[in-house]
Amino acid sequence: MNTLTESLALALEMIRSADPALGQIVALSLRVSISACLIGAVFGLLLGAWLAVARFPGHGLLVGLLNTLLALPSVVVGLLVYLLLSRSGPLGSWGLLFTPAAMIVAQSILVVPLIAALARRLVLDGLNDGGDQLHSLGAGPLTSALLLLAHARLGVLTVLLTAFGRALAEVGAVMMVGGNINGLTRVMTTAIALETSKGDLPLALALGIVLLTVVAALNLLIGLLHRQSGTPGAVWA
């Protein structure tokens, strides 16, 4: 009990004093996850909008595959990205393995299915409410879908915040493709795992507190956005 109390006190002191090592890890974590979400948003929103309005043989199968990828294990993504970026892989000449860029690629792949699935649901809900009006104005299917996403700004922001939380809390893929290198690719989740195994509980606790604080802030913001939009939980329907 004394060890836990002392470690917690040291962790809070590290946060209060803005410990440089702690700050570096937190900054890299935020940079990687924000970059991954921005990249994932471009592909995920377009994919979700297209799937909401497209009709072709195999459409249901593709939607089912997308929903399946929501549960895609992060270690599988890490393995695939590792094979692509390793020296013997097709993209090995790029030299991205064990760099923040590789971590961004892995996290982007993880969040694209989540963003696409939730964006598709937003568009379908919007089409039920105002799709006929857009069609009467001459908007094509994909244009209508994109306009509905632009109109549902709060819903889209909620989707992106959810994806950011997913990326920020990820550990398996980023450890595999980033290597958890001190000062280069060490982020909050991988640092917590490493420092705990080394017995450096103060740093692990400090990072855990920061990570929980960020996730709690995201959940609070998502809740506020739901209340402001007047449709709590609509994104998850």
Side-chain angles (χ1 to χ4, degrees), residues 103-130:
M103 299 160 68
I104 291 172
V105 171
Q107 288 193 3
S108 298
I109 294 174
L110 280 170
V111 301
V112 163
L114 175 63
I115 295 174
L118 296 181
R120 174 179 171 271
R121 174 50 54 188
L122 279 176
V123 172
L124 289 176
D125 290 343
L127 287 173
N128 291 333
D129 294 335

PDB file of all heavy atoms in Angstrom, residues 103-130:
ATOM      1  N   MET A 103       3.520   4.228 -37.296  1.00  0.00           N
ATOM      2  CA  MET A 103       2.476   4.191 -36.283  1.00  0.00           C
ATOM      3  C   MET A 103       1.217   4.896 -36.769  1.00  0.00           C
ATOM      4  O   MET A 103       0.093   4.451 -36.505  1.00  0.00           O
ATOM      5  CB  MET A 103       3.008   4.840 -34.999  1.00  0.00           C
ATOM      6  CG  MET A 103       4.221   4.120 -34.421  1.00  0.00           C
ATOM      7  SD  MET A 103       5.177   5.157 -33.293  1.00  0.00           S
ATOM      8  CE  MET A 103       4.024   5.330 -31.951  1.00  0.00           C
ATOM      9  N   ILE A 104       1.400   5.990 -37.500  1.00  0.00           N
ATOM     10  CA  ILE A 104       0.255   6.712 -38.053  1.00  0.00           C
ATOM     11  C   ILE A 104      -0.475   5.846 -39.073  1.00  0.00           C
ATOM     12  O   ILE A 104      -1.717   5.809 -39.109  1.00  0.00           O
ATOM     13  CB  ILE A 104       0.724   8.037 -38.686  1.00  0.00           C
ATOM     14  CG1 ILE A 104       1.205   8.998 -37.599  1.00  0.00           C
ATOM     15  CG2 ILE A 104      -0.398   8.681 -39.501  1.00  0.00           C
ATOM     16  CD1 ILE A 104       1.867  10.262 -38.137  1.00  0.00           C
ATOM     17  N   VAL A 105       0.283   5.139 -39.905  1.00  0.00           N
ATOM     18  CA  VAL A 105      -0.332   4.240 -40.889  1.00  0.00           C
ATOM     19  C   VAL A 105      -1.167   3.177 -40.187  1.00  0.00           C
ATOM     20  O   VAL A 105      -2.321   2.919 -40.562  1.00  0.00           O
ATOM     21  CB  VAL A 105       0.752   3.574 -41.762  1.00  0.00           C
ATOM     22  CG1 VAL A 105       0.146   2.472 -42.628  1.00  0.00           C
ATOM     23  CG2 VAL A 105       1.434   4.614 -42.647  1.00  0.00           C
ATOM     24  N   ALA A 106      -0.611   2.560 -39.154  1.00  0.00           N
ATOM     25  CA  ALA A 106      -1.326   1.501 -38.431  1.00  0.00           C
ATOM     26  C   ALA A 106      -2.595   2.035 -37.773  1.00  0.00           C
ATOM     27  O   ALA A 106      -3.664   1.416 -37.865  1.00  0.00           O
ATOM     28  CB  ALA A 106      -0.404   0.875 -37.389  1.00  0.00           C
ATOM     29  N   GLN A 107      -2.497   3.169 -37.112  1.00  0.00           N
ATOM     30  CA  GLN A 107      -3.678   3.727 -36.453  1.00  0.00           C
ATOM     31  C   GLN A 107      -4.719   4.182 -37.472  1.00  0.00           C
ATOM     32  O   GLN A 107      -5.927   4.076 -37.232  1.00  0.00           O
ATOM     33  CB  GLN A 107      -3.277   4.885 -35.542  1.00  0.00           C
ATOM     34  CG  GLN A 107      -2.551   4.454 -34.283  1.00  0.00           C
ATOM     35  CD  GLN A 107      -2.437   5.571 -33.261  1.00  0.00           C
ATOM     36  OE1 GLN A 107      -2.947   6.671 -33.440  1.00  0.00           O
ATOM     37  NE2 GLN A 107      -1.751   5.289 -32.176  1.00  0.00           N
ATOM     38  N   SER A 108      -4.271   4.691 -38.614  1.00  0.00           N
ATOM     39  CA  SER A 108      -5.216   5.113 -39.658  1.00  0.00           C
ATOM     40  C   SER A 108      -6.037   3.921 -40.143  1.00  0.00           C
ATOM     41  O   SER A 108      -7.264   4.025 -40.331  1.00  0.00           O
ATOM     42  CB  SER A 108      -4.468   5.739 -40.837  1.00  0.00           C
ATOM     43  OG  SER A 108      -3.774   6.905 -40.443  1.00  0.00           O
ATOM     44  N   ILE A 109      -5.361   2.790 -40.360  1.00  0.00           N
ATOM     45  CA  ILE A 109      -6.065   1.586 -40.805  1.00  0.00           C
ATOM     46  C   ILE A 109      -7.086   1.142 -39.758  1.00  0.00           C
ATOM     47  O   ILE A 109      -8.186   0.684 -40.093  1.00  0.00           O
ATOM     48  CB  ILE A 109      -5.059   0.466 -41.105  1.00  0.00           C
ATOM     49  CG1 ILE A 109      -4.191   0.847 -42.303  1.00  0.00           C
ATOM     50  CG2 ILE A 109      -5.774  -0.859 -41.362  1.00  0.00           C
ATOM     51  CD1 ILE A 109      -3.060  -0.127 -42.589  1.00  0.00           C
ATOM     52  N   LEU A 110      -6.753   1.305 -38.491  1.00  0.00           N
ATOM     53  CA  LEU A 110      -7.662   0.900 -37.421  1.00  0.00           C
ATOM     54  C   LEU A 110      -8.913   1.776 -37.348  1.00  0.00           C
ATOM     55  O   LEU A 110     -10.004   1.277 -37.060  1.00  0.00           O
ATOM     56  CB  LEU A 110      -6.938   0.935 -36.075  1.00  0.00           C
ATOM     57  CG  LEU A 110      -6.039  -0.256 -35.742  1.00  0.00           C
ATOM     58  CD1 LEU A 110      -5.218   0.038 -34.498  1.00  0.00           C
ATOM     59  CD2 LEU A 110      -6.875  -1.513 -35.528  1.00  0.00           C
ATOM     60  N   VAL A 111      -8.770   3.070 -37.609  1.00  0.00           N
ATOM     61  CA  VAL A 111      -9.918   3.972 -37.414  1.00  0.00           C
ATOM     62  C   VAL A 111     -10.780   4.123 -38.656  1.00  0.00           C
ATOM     63  O   VAL A 111     -11.932   4.562 -38.546  1.00  0.00           O
ATOM     64  CB  VAL A 111      -9.455   5.364 -36.930  1.00  0.00           C
ATOM     65  CG1 VAL A 111      -8.701   5.252 -35.615  1.00  0.00           C
ATOM     66  CG2 VAL A 111      -8.616   6.080 -37.978  1.00  0.00           C
ATOM     67  N   VAL A 112     -10.267   3.774 -39.847  1.00  0.00           N
ATOM     68  CA  VAL A 112     -11.064   3.934 -41.067  1.00  0.00           C
ATOM     69  C   VAL A 112     -12.372   3.149 -40.997  1.00  0.00           C
ATOM     70  O   VAL A 112     -13.446   3.701 -41.296  1.00  0.00           O
ATOM     71  CB  VAL A 112     -10.251   3.553 -42.319  1.00  0.00           C
ATOM     72  CG1 VAL A 112     -11.172   3.318 -43.512  1.00  0.00           C
ATOM     73  CG2 VAL A 112      -9.263   4.653 -42.655  1.00  0.00           C
ATOM     74  N   PRO A 113     -12.374   1.846 -40.618  1.00  0.00           N
ATOM     75  CA  PRO A 113     -13.654   1.130 -40.536  1.00  0.00           C
ATOM     76  C   PRO A 113     -14.625   1.758 -39.539  1.00  0.00           C
ATOM     77  O   PRO A 113     -15.837   1.811 -39.804  1.00  0.00           O
ATOM     78  CB  PRO A 113     -13.242  -0.281 -40.098  1.00  0.00           C
ATOM     79  CG  PRO A 113     -11.814  -0.408 -40.498  1.00  0.00           C
ATOM     80  CD  PRO A 113     -11.237   0.948 -40.330  1.00  0.00           C
ATOM     81  N   LEU A 114     -14.118   2.226 -38.409  1.00  0.00           N
ATOM     82  CA  LEU A 114     -14.976   2.848 -37.405  1.00  0.00           C
ATOM     83  C   LEU A 114     -15.616   4.118 -37.960  1.00  0.00           C
ATOM     84  O   LEU A 114     -16.840   4.315 -37.849  1.00  0.00           O
ATOM     85  CB  LEU A 114     -14.149   3.168 -36.159  1.00  0.00           C
ATOM     86  CG  LEU A 114     -14.862   3.928 -35.040  1.00  0.00           C
ATOM     87  CD1 LEU A 114     -16.022   3.108 -34.485  1.00  0.00           C
ATOM     88  CD2 LEU A 114     -13.884   4.283 -33.928  1.00  0.00           C
ATOM     89  N   ILE A 115     -14.817   4.991 -38.568  1.00  0.00           N
ATOM     90  CA  ILE A 115     -15.343   6.237 -39.122  1.00  0.00           C
ATOM     91  C   ILE A 115     -16.326   5.947 -40.250  1.00  0.00           C
ATOM     92  O   ILE A 115     -17.396   6.564 -40.340  1.00  0.00           O
ATOM     93  CB  ILE A 115     -14.188   7.128 -39.618  1.00  0.00           C
ATOM     94  CG1 ILE A 115     -13.316   7.572 -38.448  1.00  0.00           C
ATOM     95  CG2 ILE A 115     -14.730   8.351 -40.362  1.00  0.00           C
ATOM     96  CD1 ILE A 115     -12.067   8.334 -38.856  1.00  0.00           C
ATOM     97  N   ALA A 116     -15.989   4.998 -41.118  1.00  0.00           N
ATOM     98  CA  ALA A 116     -16.851   4.680 -42.257  1.00  0.00           C
ATOM     99  C   ALA A 116     -18.199   4.130 -41.804  1.00  0.00           C
ATOM    100  O   ALA A 116     -19.251   4.531 -42.325  1.00  0.00           O
ATOM    101  CB  ALA A 116     -16.154   3.675 -43.175  1.00  0.00           C
ATOM    102  N   ALA A 117     -18.188   3.215 -40.842  1.00  0.00           N
ATOM    103  CA  ALA A 117     -19.436   2.607 -40.376  1.00  0.00           C
ATOM    104  C   ALA A 117     -20.346   3.642 -39.719  1.00  0.00           C
ATOM    105  O   ALA A 117     -21.565   3.673 -39.967  1.00  0.00           O
ATOM    106  CB  ALA A 117     -19.126   1.474 -39.400  1.00  0.00           C
ATOM    107  N   LEU A 118     -19.777   4.504 -38.880  1.00  0.00           N
ATOM    108  CA  LEU A 118     -20.589   5.506 -38.201  1.00  0.00           C
ATOM    109  C   LEU A 118     -21.043   6.609 -39.160  1.00  0.00           C
ATOM    110  O   LEU A 118     -22.147   7.129 -39.052  1.00  0.00           O
ATOM    111  CB  LEU A 118     -19.803   6.108 -37.039  1.00  0.00           C
ATOM    112  CG  LEU A 118     -19.437   5.131 -35.910  1.00  0.00           C
ATOM    113  CD1 LEU A 118     -18.684   5.856 -34.803  1.00  0.00           C
ATOM    114  CD2 LEU A 118     -20.680   4.459 -35.352  1.00  0.00           C
ATOM    115  N   ALA A 119     -20.180   6.966 -40.139  1.00  0.00           N
ATOM    116  CA  ALA A 119     -20.567   7.958 -41.138  1.00  0.00           C
ATOM    117  C   ALA A 119     -21.708   7.421 -42.006  1.00  0.00           C
ATOM    118  O   ALA A 119     -22.634   8.161 -42.370  1.00  0.00           O
ATOM    119  CB  ALA A 119     -19.368   8.332 -41.998  1.00  0.00           C
ATOM    120  N   ARG A 120     -21.637   6.149 -42.348  1.00  0.00           N
ATOM    121  CA  ARG A 120     -22.719   5.533 -43.133  1.00  0.00           C
ATOM    122  C   ARG A 120     -24.039   5.626 -42.389  1.00  0.00           C
ATOM    123  O   ARG A 120     -25.079   5.946 -42.972  1.00  0.00           O
ATOM    124  CB  ARG A 120     -22.366   4.079 -43.429  1.00  0.00           C
ATOM    125  CG  ARG A 120     -23.490   3.301 -44.114  1.00  0.00           C
ATOM    126  CD  ARG A 120     -23.083   1.865 -44.412  1.00  0.00           C
ATOM    127  NE  ARG A 120     -24.229   1.099 -44.865  1.00  0.00           N
ATOM    128  CZ  ARG A 120     -25.060   0.446 -44.059  1.00  0.00           C
ATOM    129  NH1 ARG A 120     -24.850   0.453 -42.740  1.00  0.00           N
ATOM    130  NH2 ARG A 120     -26.098  -0.213 -44.548  1.00  0.00           N
ATOM    131  N   ARG A 121     -24.011   5.374 -41.089  1.00  0.00           N
ATOM    132  CA  ARG A 121     -25.239   5.460 -40.302  1.00  0.00           C
ATOM    133  C   ARG A 121     -25.760   6.890 -40.257  1.00  0.00           C
ATOM    134  O   ARG A 121     -26.976   7.135 -40.350  1.00  0.00           O
ATOM    135  CB  ARG A 121     -24.966   4.921 -38.895  1.00  0.00           C
ATOM    136  CG  ARG A 121     -26.122   5.086 -37.900  1.00  0.00           C
ATOM    137  CD  ARG A 121     -27.444   4.609 -38.428  1.00  0.00           C
ATOM    138  NE  ARG A 121     -27.383   3.224 -38.907  1.00  0.00           N
ATOM    139  CZ  ARG A 121     -28.373   2.639 -39.561  1.00  0.00           C
ATOM    140  NH1 ARG A 121     -29.473   3.314 -39.846  1.00  0.00           N
ATOM    141  NH2 ARG A 121     -28.254   1.388 -39.948  1.00  0.00           N
ATOM    142  N   LEU A 122     -24.865   7.863 -40.146  1.00  0.00           N
ATOM    143  CA  LEU A 122     -25.284   9.268 -40.152  1.00  0.00           C
ATOM    144  C   LEU A 122     -25.977   9.625 -41.461  1.00  0.00           C
ATOM    145  O   LEU A 122     -27.010  10.306 -41.470  1.00  0.00           O
ATOM    146  CB  LEU A 122     -24.067  10.175 -39.953  1.00  0.00           C
ATOM    147  CG  LEU A 122     -23.553  10.390 -38.520  1.00  0.00           C
ATOM    148  CD1 LEU A 122     -22.293  11.244 -38.552  1.00  0.00           C
ATOM    149  CD2 LEU A 122     -24.614  11.049 -37.656  1.00  0.00           C
ATOM    150  N   VAL A 123     -25.409   9.179 -42.580  1.00  0.00           N
ATOM    151  CA  VAL A 123     -25.992   9.494 -43.886  1.00  0.00           C
ATOM    152  C   VAL A 123     -27.348   8.816 -44.049  1.00  0.00           C
ATOM    153  O   VAL A 123     -28.311   9.434 -44.535  1.00  0.00           O
ATOM    154  CB  VAL A 123     -25.034   9.069 -45.023  1.00  0.00           C
ATOM    155  CG1 VAL A 123     -25.721   9.219 -46.381  1.00  0.00           C
ATOM    156  CG2 VAL A 123     -23.772   9.902 -44.988  1.00  0.00           C
ATOM    157  N   LEU A 124     -27.460   7.563 -43.640  1.00  0.00           N
ATOM    158  CA  LEU A 124     -28.740   6.857 -43.747  1.00  0.00           C
ATOM    159  C   LEU A 124     -29.819   7.547 -42.931  1.00  0.00           C
ATOM    160  O   LEU A 124     -30.964   7.696 -43.397  1.00  0.00           O
ATOM    161  CB  LEU A 124     -28.574   5.406 -43.290  1.00  0.00           C
ATOM    162  CG  LEU A 124     -27.770   4.494 -44.223  1.00  0.00           C
ATOM    163  CD1 LEU A 124     -27.599   3.116 -43.591  1.00  0.00           C
ATOM    164  CD2 LEU A 124     -28.441   4.372 -45.581  1.00  0.00           C
ATOM    165  N   ASP A 125     -29.479   7.985 -41.732  1.00  0.00           N
ATOM    166  CA  ASP A 125     -30.448   8.717 -40.914  1.00  0.00           C
ATOM    167  C   ASP A 125     -30.835  10.032 -41.580  1.00  0.00           C
ATOM    168  O   ASP A 125     -32.003  10.438 -41.566  1.00  0.00           O
ATOM    169  CB  ASP A 125     -29.874   8.989 -39.522  1.00  0.00           C
ATOM    170  CG  ASP A 125     -29.748   7.717 -38.690  1.00  0.00           C
ATOM    171  OD1 ASP A 125     -30.392   6.713 -39.054  1.00  0.00           O
ATOM    172  OD2 ASP A 125     -29.000   7.728 -37.694  1.00  0.00           O
ATOM    173  N   GLY A 126     -29.845  10.723 -42.166  1.00  0.00           N
ATOM    174  CA  GLY A 126     -30.132  11.976 -42.854  1.00  0.00           C
ATOM    175  C   GLY A 126     -30.999  11.782 -44.083  1.00  0.00           C
ATOM    176  O   GLY A 126     -31.874  12.596 -44.378  1.00  0.00           O
ATOM    177  N   LEU A 127     -30.766  10.694 -44.817  1.00  0.00           N
ATOM    178  CA  LEU A 127     -31.582  10.415 -46.002  1.00  0.00           C
ATOM    179  C   LEU A 127     -33.027  10.148 -45.624  1.00  0.00           C
ATOM    180  O   LEU A 127     -33.957  10.525 -46.359  1.00  0.00           O
ATOM    181  CB  LEU A 127     -31.009   9.206 -46.750  1.00  0.00           C
ATOM    182  CG  LEU A 127     -29.703   9.436 -47.508  1.00  0.00           C
ATOM    183  CD1 LEU A 127     -29.161   8.127 -48.051  1.00  0.00           C
ATOM    184  CD2 LEU A 127     -29.898  10.445 -48.640  1.00  0.00           C
ATOM    185  N   ASN A 128     -33.242   9.512 -44.495  1.00  0.00           N
ATOM    186  CA  ASN A 128     -34.608   9.269 -44.039  1.00  0.00           C
ATOM    187  C   ASN A 128     -35.332  10.563 -43.697  1.00  0.00           C
ATOM    188  O   ASN A 128     -36.549  10.665 -43.863  1.00  0.00           O
ATOM    189  CB  ASN A 128     -34.600   8.350 -42.811  1.00  0.00           C
ATOM    190  CG  ASN A 128     -34.181   6.934 -43.152  1.00  0.00           C
ATOM    191  OD1 ASN A 128     -34.370   6.479 -44.280  1.00  0.00           O
ATOM    192  ND2 ASN A 128     -33.601   6.229 -42.187  1.00  0.00           N
ATOM    193  N   ASP A 129     -34.564  11.558 -43.237  1.00  0.00           N
ATOM    194  CA  ASP A 129     -35.179  12.824 -42.826  1.00  0.00           C
ATOM    195  C   ASP A 129     -35.312  13.830 -43.972  1.00  0.00           C
ATOM    196  O   ASP A 129     -36.318  14.542 -44.060  1.00  0.00           O
ATOM    197  CB  ASP A 129     -34.360  13.470 -41.698  1.00  0.00           C
ATOM    198  CG  ASP A 129     -34.393  12.637 -40.424  1.00  0.00           C
ATOM    199  OD1 ASP A 129     -35.365  11.873 -40.260  1.00  0.00           O
ATOM    200  OD2 ASP A 129     -33.449  12.740 -39.619  1.00  0.00           O
ATOM    201  N   GLY A 130     -34.297  13.919 -44.837  1.00  0.00           N
ATOM    202  CA  GLY A 130     -34.345  14.954 -45.870  1.00  0.00           C
ATOM    203  C   GLY A 130     -33.805  14.530 -47.211  1.00  0.00           C
ATOM    204  O   GLY A 130     -33.456  15.382 -48.042  1.00  0.00           O
TER     205      GLY A 130
END
